[in-house]
Amino acid sequence: MDAFSGRLLRTWYSRYPVWFFIPFAWLFWLLSGLRQALYTLGVLGIAPLRSPVVVVGNISVGGTGKTPFTVWLATALTGKGHKVGIVTRGYGGASSRPMLVTPDSDTQLVGDEAVLLARRTGLPVASAADRPAAVELLASRYTLDVILSDDGLQHYRMPRAMEIVLLDGERGLGNRWLLPAGPLRETEHRLETVDLVVIKRTGTARFTWPDAFYMPLTVATAVSLADGKRVPLSEFTGQAVHAVAGIGNPEQFFSTLGQAGLQVKGHPLPDHAVLQAADLDFPGTAPVFMTEKDAVKCRGMALTRHWYVEAAADFAPADQEAILARVEQALAAWCVH
């Protein structure tokens, strides 16, 4: 992560806006509000879709836990007997057309999150910047009850049966300004219009929102990139390790490892960075840890010292049932409509 990006993020998630960018933030508000109004009024067309879509999105820049939540929701709905598919933007992928994604797909073609979702869920996954086209590709190949969209809250051309917004409980809404003066893609009032707010909860999280659900993330398992061996993360307690993270909030990943008892030297990279062998090569023999999203980009580069940590959503049983009930109610309403 370059110095300017790091400084900008720190300012966004402080109390103050980036003063120079305030006029641009007002312009962003005007243009994004006009765009949303044009879709609401029917001036801009909404794509007709054959399957109901549940959007899992955010209104802020940076890691909010969308992907772990999408994995959890897809798995939970499958357990309830639903036939589930997933679409994602494929950020960082080079493909200009919708593509079906497998666990062995090239991350440089379809994006890292798409491959991670395919590996973790074993469900049909499609990747495309044109989200309705990805939905149609899945619907044309599979019989599905519901399609989850990992991100896409601001993709208004895609109709949705339900909107779920993820927030980071540690960073919250930052300085509450719109881009580029702050981290928000839409104003906080957007949270009053969505169906569900889920807040990623960490040890230092303090941010709350009325009627929100809180999502702890467990990071109890380390997986070897070299051979897939799985061991408790506690086996590394007290050890000095390197940690590499090309995600929206790398410091949170480093902090999580530190809270697990590891002595961490962090190496932050830009979000969705394409990792090179040099990014994983450090002097000595200390283990090198990374996120699962980074691990899917390291095919052919891994050594025995390289590990990734699985992050999994861990809801209280009552919250889990309440969320699933809300989702199933939305799907039933969409089918009646």
Side-chain angles (χ1 to χ4, degrees), residues 36 153 156 163 186 188-196:
Q36 184 176 1
L153 188 68
Y156 290 112
E163 294 180 327
E186 298 182 87
E188 64 185 272
H189 299 296
R190 181 72 167 90
L191 298 177
E192 299 169 4
T193 71
V194 302
D195 301 285
L196 208 65

Side-chain angles (χ1 to χ4, degrees), residues 7 209 262 271 335:
R7 186 164 61 250
W209 191 262
L262 283 65
D271 196 11
C335 292

Side-chain angles (χ1 to χ4, degrees), residues 165-240:
V165 167
L166 273 290
L167 297 171
D168 183 349
E170 183 177 332
R171 300 195 297 183
L173 301 174
N175 61 25
R176 285 178 153 82
W177 278 81
L178 290 172
L179 293 165
L184 300 186
R185 296 184 173 101
E186 298 182 87
T187 69
E188 64 185 272
H189 299 296
R190 181 72 167 90
L191 298 177
E192 299 169 4
T193 71
V194 302
D195 301 285
L196 208 65
V197 175
V198 176
I199 298 177
K200 180 179 70 174
R201 180 67 83 193
T202 62
T204 57
R206 296 292 182 270
F207 182 79
T208 61
W209 191 262
D211 301 319
F213 291 90
Y214 294 89
M215 179 183 71
L217 291 180
T218 61
V219 286
T221 303
V223 184
S224 169
L225 271 72
D227 58 14
K229 178 183 178 182
R230 302 167 63 87
V231 301
L233 185 59
S234 58
E235 288 196 7
F236 297 90
T237 298
Q239 291 191 40

Side-chain angles (χ1 to χ4, degrees), residues 35 58-59 151-157 160 185-186:
R35 175 175 170 270
N58 59 18
I59 66 168
D151 212 352
L153 188 68
Q154 292 79 34
H155 206 91
Y156 290 112
R157 196 167 71 85
R160 64 283 310 265
R185 296 184 173 101
E186 298 182 87

Side-chain angles (χ1 to χ4, degrees), residues 62-138:
T64 58
K66 293 190 316 298
T67 301
F69 178 82
T70 301
V71 170
W72 171 83
L73 183 58
T75 303
L77 287 172
T78 300
K80 290 276 190 177
H82 292 280
K83 297 177 180 177
V84 184
I86 303 172
V87 297
T88 183
R89 182 180 182 273
Y91 190 91
S95 177
S96 60
R97 58 185 179 84
M99 294 191 66
L100 294 176
V101 181
T102 71
D104 297 319
S105 290
D106 185 350
T107 58
Q108 295 193 44
L109 193 61
V110 300
D112 47 20
E113 288 170 347
V115 174
L116 188 159
L117 288 165
R119 288 186 181 182
R120 285 288 295 273
T121 67
L123 296 172
V125 176
S127 169
D130 183 350
R131 219 64 58 86
V135 172
E136 281 303 294
L137 176 60
L138 280 189

